Amino acid sequence: PARALPCPRCETSTGVHRATMQDPNADTEWNDILRKKGILPPKEQAKDEEVNGEQILQQQSVVKTYEDMTLEELEENEDEFNEEDERAIEMYRQQRIAQWQATQLKNKFGEVLEISGQDYVQEVTKAGKNLWVVLHLYKQGIPLCTLINQHFTGLARKFPHVKFVKAISTTCIPNYPDKNLPSIFVYFEGDIRAQFIGPLVFGGMNLSKDELEWKLSETGAIKTELEENPRKQIEDQLMSSVRCSVPSKNSSDSDE
């Protein structure tokens, strides 16, 4: 009779397999084959691996949680964090406080400040570092001054990081001539950077808030989102209407 070959699994040459119980979680090639065939369930992870995975997910959840929290919520939930989280949260809290302070400092104006000559040095020339100040000298009873004060109110709200100031002309500069009104002076860190003096510079009572915004943006005091000078659009429209109203030479000849 033919000789039985040894079995590769149990190394017996009788042709009869010995019933041996193998650990289904053992890291063997045979178990891998059985798992692929679906005979054995997927290998169980070690408990310590599961714990580590849960801790990582929990830490990620904590990080995501406190990054989305406000300063008040961090204070309310600080008992739920461990020592390592608390150190990270404290650093994050300091960053948030610094950002908040920077925002408050940058947006600390938002309205027009009325000053007198006594306030000029403190509020204008010594206003502070990295600070733009726009001063309007005006006098009551001059319509264009009133219009510019109205525009100042809107611009101060729109650009709260810029200090908009107004003052009656003679309280800041004695005997300042009315013919120079309205006058706007632009300062940066106490140094004068630009000036607009007299009604002709502003184009009269047709001055719009956007036109004034454009003028101030050209000095560097504000960063406007306007793409071009609004006055140019008006001038182009006027020129177009003038060209349309002037009769051409050919039409004049035909009339004759």
Side-chain angles (χ1 to χ4, degrees):
R3 182 180 178 184
L5 296 176
C7 175
R9 284 197 291 134
C10 58
E11 298 181 353
T12 179
S13 60
T14 62
V16 180
H17 297 295
R18 292 195 300 267
T20 58
M21 181 64 67
Q22 295 193 16
D23 183 4
N25 290 322
D27 228 355
T28 64
E29 184 178 355
W30 179 251
N31 280 351
D32 290 340
I33 295 174
L34 295 179
R35 290 190 192 98
K36 289 180 181 180
K37 298 294 184 180
I39 299 173
L40 287 180
K43 182 181 177 182
E44 296 181 0
Q45 292 184 342
K47 292 185 177 180
D48 56 345
E49 292 181 0
E50 294 180 357
V51 172
N52 290 336
E54 292 177 358
Q55 289 177 347
I56 292 173
L57 291 175
Q58 186 177 7
Q59 290 174 356
Q60 290 176 346
S61 175
V62 169
V63 169
K64 184 177 180 180
T65 299
Y66 75 68
E67 284 183 347
D68 293 336
M69 286 183 177
T70 63
L71 294 175
E72 292 78 8
E73 290 172 337
L74 287 174
E75 294 289 345
E76 294 175 359
N77 295 276
E78 61 181 356
D79 293 338
E80 300 181 8
F81 304 120
N82 58 36
E83 185 177 349
E84 183 177 352
D85 291 330
E86 288 178 357
R87 287 196 297 267
I89 291 170
E90 181 59 28
M91 293 179 60
Y92 181 70
R93 181 188 286 113
Q94 295 302 324
Q95 292 176 358
R96 291 286 294 272
I97 291 174
Q99 292 173 356
W100 178 82
Q101 290 175 339
T103 302
Q104 292 297 108
L105 182 62
K106 185 176 181 180
N107 300 331
K108 65 179 180 179
F109 301 113
E111 59 184 16
V112 183
L113 177 65
E114 178 92 31
I115 67 170
S116 64
Q118 298 175 352
D119 308 317
Y120 175 81
V121 174
Q122 184 66 31
E123 298 293 344
V124 178
T125 58
K126 293 185 177 180
K129 292 184 178 181
N130 299 319
L131 182 61
W132 287 92
V133 180
V134 184
L135 169 65
H136 176 212
L137 294 184
Y138 75 100
K139 183 169 282 188
Q140 294 178 351
I142 299 179
L144 187 52
C145 289
T146 303
L147 178 64
I148 289 179
N149 278 339
Q150 293 174 357
H151 292 339
F152 258 43
T153 300
L155 292 174
R157 287 196 295 263
K158 188 174 182 179
F159 303 99
H161 58 284
V162 177
K163 190 174 185 179
F164 285 85
V165 182
K166 65 180 181 180
I168 296 176
S169 57
T170 51
T171 63
C172 281
I173 306 175
N175 302 319
Y176 192 76
D178 290 353
K179 67 178 183 179
N180 289 344
L181 298 178
S183 295
I184 291 180
F185 299 90
V186 181
Y187 298 82
F188 181 69
E189 294 186 341
D191 296 328
I192 189 167
R193 293 298 181 89
Q195 58 185 16
F196 305 93
I197 298 176
L200 294 179
V201 176
F202 300 101
M205 289 298 294
N206 291 322
L207 176 72
S208 68
K209 182 168 71 71
D210 285 346
E211 290 177 56
L212 184 56
E213 177 179 329
W214 183 267
K215 286 181 179 292
L216 295 178
S217 71
E218 291 182 318
T219 70
I222 60 178
K223 293 183 179 180
T224 181
E225 295 182 357
L226 299 173
E227 296 182 355
E228 64 177 1
N229 186 355
R231 170 63 64 175
K232 182 178 182 299
Q233 298 176 356
I234 297 174
E235 291 174 350
D236 291 344
Q237 292 173 359
L238 289 174
M239 290 301 296
S240 177
S241 62
V242 168
R243 284 194 297 268
C244 292
S245 62
V246 175
S248 63
K249 185 176 184 299
N250 292 335
S251 62
S252 298
D253 293 342
S254 62
D255 291 341
E256 292 177 359

